[in-house]
Amino acid sequence: MRIIVSDEIEQVCPGFVGAAVEAQVVNTPYCAELWEEIHELEERFRRELTTESLKELSGIAATRRVYKACGKDPSRYRPASEQLIRRMLQGKELYQIDTLVDLVNLASIAFGYSIGGFDADKFVGDTLTLGVGREGEPYEGIGRGMLNIAGLPVYRDAVGGVGTPTSDNERTKMTLETTHLMVLINGYDGDEQRVRQNAEFIQQLVRKYCQSDGGHYTVYR
């Protein structure tokens, strides 16, 4: 899969760096060991962060800046990483979906990047392009119904939008039948080393919990 970063994104975030992790996996409904990791991180974040200070985390702060530059209110359309950490800090349980979704959520929380997790076999065509959502562009967010993505960064395949930092699309979502995983890490802060660490963390998680060899990852700009 080829990934192109459009001029639209270059203009609002010239330092953008992303990583795509691709792996063959086995999904399961629930993994107790994975949730032990999630709860350990939850306890640490509750000691170290507040719902205000989390906005200063590098990945979240940079994504919020890009939202504003694209014309979107980041407090109304929060990046997914911010949504997840806020939920933890408010004492609410994270939604338990399945091992792949839970794993991607952990990776997003741990590094503060908004991460898209996809069933790669559901993409149409051989290219994903990262651009900016347009007025009236149809987009069905997972569990959110039709979402106004105008002004949001969005990955598109040959059919249309598949992922934004706020919500991925129902059309390409992971399910228990997913065997071909692709995870896209959005480093709007331009920190390539941290983006690579996030990709390697995802590889570790799929090795531990998804009967995978970890696949491979590529960095793109």
Side-chain angles (χ1 to χ4, degrees), residues 3-6 10 14-18 192 196 219-221:
I3 303 176
I4 298 170
V5 179
S6 71
E10 278 286 324
F16 173 85
V17 57
E192 180 175 339
R196 286 183 179 274
V219 170
Y220 56 93
R221 295 174 177 79

Side-chain angles (χ1 to χ4, degrees), residues 140-213:
E140 186 177 0
I142 297 173
R144 300 170 69 109
M146 298 308 292
L147 189 65
N148 174 14
I149 64 166
L152 285 180
V154 58
Y155 287 94
R156 299 183 181 95
D157 66 4
V159 171
V162 298
T164 75
T166 290
S167 176
D168 293 331
N169 198 304
E170 282 279 353
R171 177 168 63 87
T172 49
K173 74 178 182 182
M174 302 176 293
T175 68
L176 286 174
E177 287 70 47
T178 296
T179 58
H180 185 186
L181 172 70
M182 179 172 281
V183 183
L184 301 178
I185 303 165
N186 297 290
Y188 289 101
D189 60 357
D191 188 339
E192 180 175 339
Q193 181 180 3
R194 190 162 173 79
V195 167
R196 286 183 179 274
Q197 289 171 345
N198 201 167
E200 289 160 7
F201 181 58
I202 291 166
Q203 289 182 296
Q204 292 171 18
L205 292 176
V206 296
R207 286 190 196 104
K208 282 197 284 187
Y209 303 125
C210 299
Q211 301 178 42
S212 174
D213 66 3

Side-chain angles (χ1 to χ4, degrees), residues 39-49 89 110:
H39 289 314
E40 285 173 10
L41 186 61
E42 187 174 36
E43 289 173 13
R44 178 164 70 82
F45 275 13
R46 285 179 179 166
R47 291 193 302 269
E48 297 175 356
L49 292 173
L89 297 178

Side-chain angles (χ1 to χ4, degrees), residues 19-129:
V21 182
E22 195 167 356
Q24 294 297 316
V25 293
V26 175
N27 198 6
T28 53
Y30 176 76
C31 177
E33 291 179 350
L34 172 61
W35 274 90
E36 287 176 13
E37 280 201 55
I38 292 171
H39 289 314
E40 285 173 10
L41 186 61
E42 187 174 36
E43 289 173 13
R44 178 164 70 82
F45 275 13
R46 285 179 179 166
R47 291 193 302 269
E48 297 175 356
L49 292 173
T50 68
T51 53
E52 283 304 308
S53 68
L54 78 89
K55 296 176 186 176
E56 298 165 14
L57 294 175
S58 176
I60 291 173
T63 307
R64 289 175 65 90
R65 285 196 299 273
V66 169
Y67 273 35
K68 288 178 181 176
C70 292
K72 209 68 168 177
D73 179 357
S75 293
R76 183 176 178 193
Y77 293 86
R78 296 185 195 277
S81 53
E82 183 182 348
Q83 294 175 40
L84 291 166
I85 298 172
R86 277 179 65 87
R87 189 169 181 85
M88 279 184 165
L89 297 178
Q90 290 169 343
K92 299 174 182 176
E93 284 290 323
L94 292 183
Y95 298 110
Q96 192 277 314
I97 307 297
D98 58 47
T99 298
L100 282 180
V101 174
D102 300 341
L103 177 155
V104 169
N105 285 344
L106 171 58
S108 178
I109 291 162
F111 284 81
Y113 291 127
S114 288
I115 297 175
F118 306 93
D119 185 325
D121 290 339
K122 295 178 180 177
F123 291 141
V124 179
D126 62 359
T127 303
L128 294 175
T129 302

